[in-house]
Amino acid sequence: MKIELVPEGNKTKRDGDSDWNLSYLFDTVFGGVGSLVEKVFEIVVNGVEAAVSGTIRRLFALAMGLIGLWFLFGGFASLLDFLYGVPGIGGITVGSVVFIAAIIVSATAGRK
């Protein structure tokens, strides 16, 4: 086997080496696959983060809306109690209206 110096520096060329290098081929193929997997993984992670943060925002807004409605209906019930002078009439009235609205919404939710 004859070894000779090539002009690129300290690399050597051996007789019998073929034109293609097996390590270069593996590096090219698996490097491309690794790059593709890395990009797909990055896209999936970004999508999941966006979905989770959007879901958390929606849940927070829903919770704040429910708390707001709770105080609104409670205040309206207290106002009705004060106006009519009968304790509990406001709670019964507001509860009945909300219950009837919930029944109507649930009955019409399946229809298009």
Side-chain angles (χ1 to χ4, degrees):
M1 177 194 261
K2 179 178 155 190
I3 297 176
E4 63 183 71
L5 260 346
V6 290
E8 288 118 13
N10 61 1
K11 297 181 182 177
T12 58
K13 182 178 179 183
R14 295 186 175 126
D15 286 342
D17 280 352
S18 58
D19 290 337
W20 55 278
N21 190 354
L22 191 60
S23 65
Y24 175 75
L25 178 68
F26 279 134
D27 201 26
T28 302
V29 170
F30 292 118
V33 170
S35 173
L36 177 67
V37 168
E38 183 178 324
K39 287 178 184 177
V40 168
F41 186 71
E42 182 179 341
I43 290 170
V44 168
V45 166
N46 289 339
V48 167
E49 285 177 354
V52 166
S53 86
T55 302
I56 289 172
R57 278 192 216 117
R58 285 187 194 107
L59 287 175
F60 182 73
L62 179 67
M64 293 303 291
L66 289 175
I67 291 170
L69 281 175
W70 181 283
F71 280 102
L72 180 69
F73 290 147
F76 189 63
S78 297
L79 180 65
L80 288 176
D81 285 345
F82 175 75
L83 287 177
Y84 289 110
V86 179
I89 193 73
I92 292 171
T93 305
V94 170
S96 299
V97 169
V98 170
F99 183 70
I100 290 169
I103 289 174
I104 291 170
V105 168
S106 66
T108 59
R111 298 181 186 169
K112 288 189 178 183

